[in-house]
Amino acid sequence: MLSGEKLSPEEENVLTKRLKDGKQKRRLYELQRIWHAVYAHKVSEQVDEEEAWKIFVSNQKPGRKLRIWISSVAAVTILIGIALSLTQIQKRIPGFHATDTTQSSILPRNIILTLSDGQQVVLSDSVNDLQEQNGTTIRNKAQQLVYHPTVHNEQVVYNTMWIPRGSEYQLILSDGTIVWLNSESEITFPVNFTGEKREVKLKGEAFFDVAKDERHPFIVKTEQFDIRVTGTQFNVRAYTDEPASATLAEGSIQLVRQEEVIPLVPGQQALLKQGIVKVREIELREAIAWRYNAFYFKQQPLESLLNEIARWYDVEVIYQNPTLKKLHFTAGFQRSCSITEVINTLGMTQKIRLEIKGKTLLVKEYK
């Protein structure tokens, strides 16, 4: 059932009877929590199902038995798979519908909008409409900032939006382009596009759904490269402490770096590492899971995985032994999980031991 398999009539009948028992309902909830939270295993091309089951069972409290009333195949799938509803993400990814708004479970914290006159506004539910010097109306509602040009004005006026750790926000530009901003990101943009091109500057990560306008190309400028499009959906990741990348979900884009112009097709990612741009095929769920309130790591070094965790949960990571950074993991979980759930389940791999002390995450060897 949890794994997506259809139960037989006999199994459905047994399940219905069992759920009338409060203890059984709690056991089902536990399985659901595991499925929706995290399962991580040291990376290999094929998951060792028997070993994964042994690891899970060995971590259960003494004397505690899990009576699994759903089919054995479904139960094993729950526990040895990446315990995240990746199929839900996959169903939503192909179309990338703009109506999928920022997750309501995310609470904005000190998101700052800097207006053209230098005034800084902390966005909150109490902040409603703002107005810029050139007459543009800015509407803030439900974790979304929308720009409405009220009159045609050639005056170029810029705003800057800063998203701190542990937050995300949605921005709708004056041309209708939708931008989802991830944690620790900053975007600078004109409140009203004028001239021959639409240009924004980005630090950090954002997913763009660009309003189509072939006469006015849309350009995302980063410190590492530029992305040029006319109307499409793509993700740009440009943090200063890791390789920058651009991933195309729909349409087409061009990555421009110095004299080099690199076209991408859907499902491709351009990765800039040590001054060289490489294009590779990539699973979209891996690159943009954050956009759907989830994390997905496939054969990622522990350092990369925990950097992402640190950015979302606003913690500092300290390694007892630097060699631990090179361990590889595959893991998936929802961003609504608590950091305690995340580190407890990662510890189930018996490869590392994680301890949270205040805002410090200690990474130790498993002993």
Side-chain angles (χ1 to χ4, degrees):
M1 180 187 70
L2 296 178
S3 66
E5 291 189 11
K6 185 176 181 180
L7 299 181
S8 67
E10 293 78 10
E11 288 173 325
E12 286 185 0
N13 185 45
V14 172
L15 178 60
T16 300
K17 291 180 180 179
R18 293 280 186 174
L19 288 180
K20 292 179 180 179
D21 185 332
K23 290 183 179 180
Q24 298 290 11
K25 289 186 72 173
R26 286 193 294 273
R27 287 175 183 142
L28 177 60
Y29 170 76
E30 180 176 3
L31 288 174
Q32 287 175 319
R33 184 183 63 79
I34 294 169
W35 185 60
H36 283 293
V38 187
Y39 180 79
H41 195 276
K42 189 176 181 181
V43 164
S44 60
E45 289 299 324
Q46 297 293 328
V47 176
D48 187 334
E49 300 183 3
E50 182 177 351
E51 182 62 24
W53 176 261
K54 288 179 180 178
I55 290 173
F56 173 77
V57 172
S58 67
N59 280 276
Q60 301 307 304
K61 294 180 179 179
R64 184 184 185 186
K65 295 181 180 179
L66 289 177
R67 296 180 182 176
I68 303 177
W69 55 87
I70 54 181
S71 69
S72 58
V73 174
V76 171
T77 304
I78 294 165
L79 298 171
I80 65 164
I82 298 171
L84 162 71
S85 179
L86 291 176
T87 54
Q88 293 179 353
I89 296 176
Q90 283 180 299
K91 287 178 182 178
R92 297 172 70 183
I93 280 178
F96 288 94
H97 300 300
T99 54
D100 291 326
T101 58
T102 304
Q103 299 296 325
S104 60
S105 61
I106 309 305
L107 298 177
R109 296 184 295 179
N110 297 326
I111 293 172
I112 298 174
L113 176 68
T114 303
L115 303 175
S116 60
D117 61 0
Q119 178 187 355
Q120 292 189 330
V121 179
V122 177
L123 299 180
S124 65
D125 291 339
S126 61
V127 176
N128 295 315
D129 290 358
L130 302 168
Q131 193 166 48
E132 259 295 355
Q133 299 180 50
N134 66 352
T136 297
T137 298
I138 309 168
R139 184 153 296 161
N140 179 55
K141 185 178 181 181
Q143 297 175 240
Q144 183 186 77
L145 200 65
V146 185
Y147 281 72
H148 298 282
T150 53
V151 294
H152 181 72
N153 194 322
E154 295 296 327
Q155 180 185 4
V156 181
V157 175
Y158 289 91
N159 282 184
T160 297
M161 193 174 187
W162 164 250
I163 314 297
R165 287 186 164 208
S167 293
E168 61 182 24
Y169 222 74
Q170 187 186 87
L171 171 67
I172 301 183
L173 300 173
S174 61
D175 66 339
T177 291
I178 306 173
V179 186
W180 288 265
L181 290 152
N182 203 354
S183 300
E184 208 168 25
S185 299
E186 179 182 280
I187 186 169
T188 299
F189 54 94
V191 300
N192 189 19
F193 290 110
T194 60
E196 298 180 353
K197 59 185 178 181
R198 300 170 287 168
E199 188 174 284
V200 302
K201 296 180 180 179
L202 175 70
K203 295 179 182 178
E205 184 169 26
F207 183 86
F208 293 84
D209 185 354
V210 178
K212 190 172 182 178
D213 184 348
E214 295 182 358
R215 295 185 303 170
H216 301 91
F218 192 95
I219 301 171
V220 180
K221 300 184 72 67
T222 74
E223 294 181 356
Q224 297 89 342
F225 51 68
D226 296 346
I227 298 295
R228 181 185 296 268
V229 305
T230 55
T232 188
Q233 297 175 354
F234 59 97
N235 193 79
V236 179
R237 188 175 176 92
Y239 291 107
T240 57
D241 58 350
E242 62 182 62
S245 65
T247 305
L248 181 60
E250 184 180 288
S252 63
I253 62 175
Q254 291 182 330
L255 185 147
V256 182
R257 186 170 186 269
Q258 298 172 353
E259 301 300 319
E260 190 175 18
V261 179
I262 302 172
L264 295 182
V265 299
Q268 286 187 333
Q269 180 183 81
L271 182 69
L272 174 61
K273 195 171 183 179
Q274 297 178 339
I276 300 175
V277 178
K278 293 184 178 180
V279 176
R280 61 176 182 168
E281 302 293 323
I282 191 171
E283 292 184 54
L284 290 177
R285 62 180 179 179
E286 180 180 356
I288 61 172
W290 72 269
R291 168 66 184 80
Y292 296 93
N293 196 31
F295 286 115
Y296 177 53
F297 306 98
K298 184 178 180 181
Q299 301 186 11
Q300 287 293 312
L302 180 62
E303 182 178 24
S304 297
L305 187 156
L306 290 185
N307 281 348
E308 195 73 5
I309 296 299
R311 188 172 288 124
W312 182 244
Y313 293 101
D314 192 16
V315 295
E316 179 185 4
V317 181
I318 297 179
Y319 294 86
Q320 182 186 57
N321 184 340
T323 61
L324 295 174
K325 297 179 180 180
K326 298 181 180 180
L327 289 175
H328 283 65
F329 290 80
T330 289
F333 53 92
Q334 293 181 346
R335 302 217 288 189
S336 56
C337 290
S338 70
I339 190 170
T340 301
E341 285 182 295
V342 173
I343 65 177
N344 285 348
T345 313
L346 285 173
M348 288 172 60
T349 62
Q350 298 185 359
K351 302 298 177 183
I352 55 173
R353 188 157 56 91
L354 301 170
E355 294 180 8
I356 186 76
K357 294 184 178 181
K359 286 205 169 188
T360 301
L361 179 60
L362 302 175
V363 186
K364 302 180 179 181
E365 296 179 68
Y366 187 88
K367 293 181 180 179

